[in-house]
Amino acid sequence: MKTPSNTLQKNEPGAQGASKNSIAIRFGLWLLALPRASTASTDLMIRLDNISKQHGHQILFIDASMGLQKGEKAGLVGPNGAGKTTVFRMIAGEEQPDDGQVTVDPGMTIGYFSQDVGEMSGMSAVAAVMDGVGPVSALATEMAELEAAMVDPERAGDMDVLVERYGEVQARFEELDGYALDARAREVLAGLSFSQERMDGDVGLLSGGWKMRVALARILLMRPDAMLLDEPSNHLDLESLIWLEDFLKKYDGALLMTSHDREFMNRIIGKVVEIDGGSLTTYSGDFDFYEQQRALGERQRQAQFERQQAMLAKELKFIERFKARASHAAQVQSRVKKLDKIERVEPPRRRQSVQFEFRSPPRSGDDVASFKNVHKGYGSQPIYAGLDLRVRRKERWCVLGANGAGKSTLLKLVAGATEPDQGTVIVGSSVRMGYFAQHSMDLLDGDDTVFESLDGSFPQAGQAALRALAGCFGFSGDDIEKPCRVLSGGEKARLVMAKMLFDPPNFLVLDEPTNHLDMATKEMLVAALAEFEGTMLFVSHDRHFLAKLSNRVLELTPDGVHQYGGGYTEYVARTGQEAPGLHPGG
């Protein structure tokens, strides 16, 4: 397998047409070695100066500016469609601003992780990760092929040639420090929860979520001068998320990232770049501090606007009252000229925030669900052996455990989606269950619009109520007429959640309900669920969601199942860990 070079300098053959910067794309990764450019400041590695950008009729940026210094870690925030991905693509050189300038330090490398992974197949996950750093990956792949050939009886006649070639390849692999790189690649993949079997398996057989992890691992293994990470926290379990958080804290390059995970952002970034109304505004501090400063700025601008409006009203009242009197003509004219010269204060742009309010669910019995001596396994792999669990009314159990520990299986058992091998799972009297699983999104009729899907589930609700429901879950304006088949993963998740919560059950069983949801929708969901009067059993990798909503913890470990009174915050304080087997900073 021949591996292309990851860098292409501006004056090399083939560099033309690469948007002025040299670019290589592999599996959702961009690695750039940028041509020399003059820069006014040695502190800023990346600068956007007075950029303007328009997509069709949509104006994204007007004279917007920002900068990123060496070692800085910044969060890029803004509503969906504001232009976050466009900022990444302009820095990467994939797009050019319509006006203004994007400047990057001479010769620096930038790793760009995007959600568009592309197709992967024909190599192991380890080889795909090492493929980002040049010819070592090709040698590793050839060594694996030669090893397979040497134990193939049908190739016995070629053994001398195979052994000789293997020696040559292995010598070159050692010369390039390939074994150390292989070990580092495996360390990164292990941090992202890959088993040894999954590391060595064909990457083409992995699900989309696992391929995203491979693409992310390529960036992390390279440790470029700067990283652009577009939603790196998507598709990660809690253990992988904590590992990645620790990795990025220790990373000494510049980092610009987006994430819908508030806690993840707070622990990594030291400044926020906000896209709002075509401008880029930089705030020092983490995401929570940014929100406080933004709210303070809005209040100040609102007060300034109201003061000016009161002054204008007073002046206009005087003009209207005395404009017909000759004795006041000079005063009236003076005030008219004064008003013409005043620069009008614009009211603050308020982001639309819609809250969802639960209807009161019917009351269930006190015993909502119980597991008695439950055994469950897949093939020869046991998941549960003698599990006993009792879920009582108004309890909110969060389920923690590493990949393969049985979190989703537990939820499937209580939802009746799978049966125990031994023992019983009993759902109590008057329990009305709502089960959200990742496959729930596949059950939507692709030909239905968002509104038709809601109307089909609640034909008696009325158009106004369903439009209000759609608005709460982010479907406003023409979005409600989108066919379900064109919806993104996040839009499908929001629609399924809306349908489940409109006529609420009294027992919510939720498997990663915040996957694909943006931060605003998450906040709405957390606020709504905090008022929910029923019972919850859920799995989530979002620590903000876990801390706000749980009052019980079920921990699944290789040593057995442990139950904790108190929620996730109390669990962390009591155990000194944020996930089973992982310690903060370790």
Side-chain angles (χ1 to χ4, degrees):
M1 182 187 80
K2 184 168 180 171
T3 305
S5 168
N6 287 299
T7 59
L8 181 65
Q9 295 300 331
K10 182 177 180 182
N11 295 323
E12 289 177 1
Q16 288 75 22
S19 301
K20 297 184 182 177
N21 294 332
S22 45
I23 299 170
I25 310 174
R26 301 282 290 182
F27 307 153
L29 155 75
W30 298 71
L31 180 63
L32 307 108
L34 289 118
R36 298 196 165 270
S38 61
T39 176
S41 169
T42 56
D43 293 332
L44 292 175
M45 298 181 73
I46 297 170
R47 287 171 46 205
L48 277 64
D49 292 314
N50 301 314
I51 61 162
S52 295
K53 184 70 177 177
Q54 185 169 341
H55 283 167
H57 296 296
Q58 183 186 11
I59 297 174
L60 295 177
F61 301 105
I62 304 172
D63 291 331
S65 300
M66 64 157 281
L68 192 64
Q69 297 182 14
K70 183 175 182 179
E72 268 192 324
K73 296 178 173 67
L76 184 63
V77 304
N80 286 337
K84 297 188 290 292
T85 298
T86 301
V87 168
F88 284 149
R89 289 161 67 94
M90 285 193 293
I91 294 172
E94 188 185 11
E95 288 191 36
Q96 297 298 313
D98 299 332
D99 197 14
Q101 186 174 4
V102 179
T103 309
V104 179
D105 259 6
M108 71 176 291
T109 53
I110 298 179
Y112 175 25
F113 169 75
S114 74
Q115 295 293 303
D116 184 14
V117 173
E119 185 53 43
M120 300 185 189
S121 61
M123 65 178 79
S124 68
V126 171
V129 170
M130 291 194 300
D131 193 42
V133 289
V136 170
S137 171
L139 293 169
T141 300
E142 187 175 356
M143 282 172 60
E145 292 170 352
L146 290 166
E147 287 166 1
M150 286 189 290
V151 296
D152 183 353
E154 294 184 5
R155 302 290 301 275
D158 302 328
M159 189 58 66
D160 291 343
V161 175
L162 292 172
V163 169
E164 182 180 358
R165 178 57 184 161
Y166 186 81
E168 294 170 355
V169 173
Q170 186 179 43
R172 180 60 179 153
F173 187 74
E174 290 176 345
E175 187 180 312
L176 295 174
D177 207 16
Y179 287 110
L181 187 64
D182 180 272
R184 282 174 49 214
R186 290 178 184 276
E187 182 182 353
V188 170
L189 286 170
L192 296 176
S193 297
F194 277 73
S195 64
Q196 291 296 325
E197 182 181 8
R198 191 170 263 139
M199 290 181 199
D200 293 318
D202 185 346
V203 71
L205 301 178
L206 297 176
S207 68
W210 285 99
K211 287 179 180 177
M212 297 285 283
R213 297 190 195 204
V214 170
L216 178 59
R218 288 164 61 89
I219 297 274
L220 303 181
L221 181 66
M222 281 184 290
R223 299 185 81 101
D225 298 323
M227 293 188 200
L228 310 176
L229 303 183
D230 190 2
E231 294 294 344
S233 53
N234 275 4
H235 304 287
L236 297 185
D237 54 74
L238 184 56
E239 291 74 21
S240 300
L241 199 62
I242 293 168
W243 179 88
L244 178 60
E245 181 181 285
D246 187 55
F247 185 99
L248 293 177
K249 282 180 185 174
K250 295 174 181 175
Y251 169 63
D252 57 7
L255 172 66
L256 183 65
M257 60 177 276
T258 62
S259 177
H260 294 324
D261 190 312
R262 171 187 292 269
E263 197 65 32
F264 182 71
M265 286 269 274
N266 271 336
R267 298 186 186 200
I268 295 170
I269 65 172
K271 79 174 186 181
V272 170
V273 179
E274 179 196 52
I275 305 174
D276 187 25
S279 64
L280 290 166
T281 307
T282 300
Y283 297 79
S284 295
D286 62 14
F287 185 83
D288 284 348
F289 184 73
Y290 146 74
E291 281 202 320
Q292 295 166 11
Q293 292 301 301
R294 191 181 196 282
L296 176 62
E298 277 190 355
R299 289 195 296 271
Q300 290 172 341
R301 286 194 298 276
Q302 183 67 30
Q304 187 181 5
F305 172 74
E306 290 173 358
R307 285 194 301 270
Q308 188 182 71
Q309 290 298 303
M311 181 273 291
L312 292 173
K314 183 179 177 181
E315 295 293 323
L316 288 170
K317 185 177 180 181
F318 178 92
I319 292 168
E320 190 65 28
R321 181 179 177 185
F322 294 109
K323 65 181 180 181
R325 297 188 187 181
S327 60
H328 288 75
Q331 287 177 285
V332 168
Q333 192 63 30
S334 174
R335 295 196 182 199
V336 169
K337 289 179 179 178
K338 174 185 171 184
L339 292 188
D340 286 342
K341 292 178 181 178
I342 288 176
E343 184 177 344
R344 297 298 196 264
V345 175
E346 294 292 328
R349 288 183 293 271
R350 298 189 180 278
R351 291 186 183 165
Q352 187 176 8
S353 178
V354 185
Q355 296 304 312
F356 176 79
E357 292 186 6
F358 271 99
R359 301 177 184 180
S360 294
R363 190 187 190 282
S364 71
D366 288 336
D367 286 327
V368 175
S370 61
F371 293 67
K372 294 181 180 177
N373 192 34
V374 168
H375 292 249
K376 181 66 178 177
Y378 294 104
S380 60
Q381 180 65 39
I383 303 296
Y384 296 112
L387 171 65
D388 292 309
L389 173 66
R390 189 182 186 192
V391 178
R392 304 271 292 171
R393 189 171 72 89
K394 290 198 172 183
E395 290 180 342
R396 296 158 173 259
W397 287 87
C398 71
V399 185
L400 303 180
N403 269 321
K407 301 187 296 294
S408 293
T409 299
L410 183 86
L411 271 53
K412 288 177 183 176
L413 285 165
V414 78
T418 190
E419 296 292 327
D421 299 332
Q422 182 181 328
T424 58
V425 179
I426 300 171
V427 175
S429 62
S430 303
V431 170
R432 185 174 162 201
M433 186 187 304
Y435 175 43
F436 178 88
Q438 296 306 305
H439 69 78
S440 305
M441 297 180 285
D442 299 330
L443 304 180
L444 295 170
D445 187 330
D447 292 330
D448 283 349
T449 66
V450 170
F451 181 80
E452 288 169 345
S453 186
L454 293 172
D455 189 48
S457 297
F458 310 107
Q460 307 302 319
Q463 186 169 131
L466 294 183
R467 286 187 176 276
L469 172 67
C472 287
F473 284 85
F475 297 102
S476 57
D478 293 339
D479 288 344
I480 202 169
E481 300 302 331
K482 280 184 178 180
C484 290
R485 65 174 173 272
V486 305
L487 298 181
S488 67
E491 288 171 325
K492 288 179 179 178
R494 296 201 309 267
L495 179 55
V496 170
M497 196 73 67
K499 293 173 75 168
M500 186 172 70
L501 300 182
F502 181 65
D503 186 15
N506 51 33
F507 182 30
L508 291 176
V509 179
L510 309 175
D511 192 355
E512 295 286 7
T514 60
N515 270 7
H516 308 292
L517 299 186
D518 61 38
M519 208 175 287
T521 307
K522 279 187 188 181
E523 290 298 325
M524 180 277 292
L525 187 61
V526 168
L529 291 176
E531 302 299 320
F532 176 59
E533 297 174 4
T535 307
M536 290 174 62
L537 177 68
F538 64 92
V539 173
S540 177
H541 65 255
D542 189 296
R543 285 161 290 179
H544 181 65
F545 190 89
L546 291 169
K548 290 289 186 182
L549 296 176
S550 62
N551 59 24
R552 299 284 189 281
V553 174
L554 188 71
E555 181 190 54
L556 311 179
T557 75
D559 300 326
V561 177
H562 308 290
Q563 302 180 24
Y564 295 87
Y568 178 73
T569 302
E570 290 82 1
Y571 164 82
V572 173
R574 182 172 174 182
T575 64
Q577 61 189 26
E578 294 187 292
L582 289 180
H583 295 268

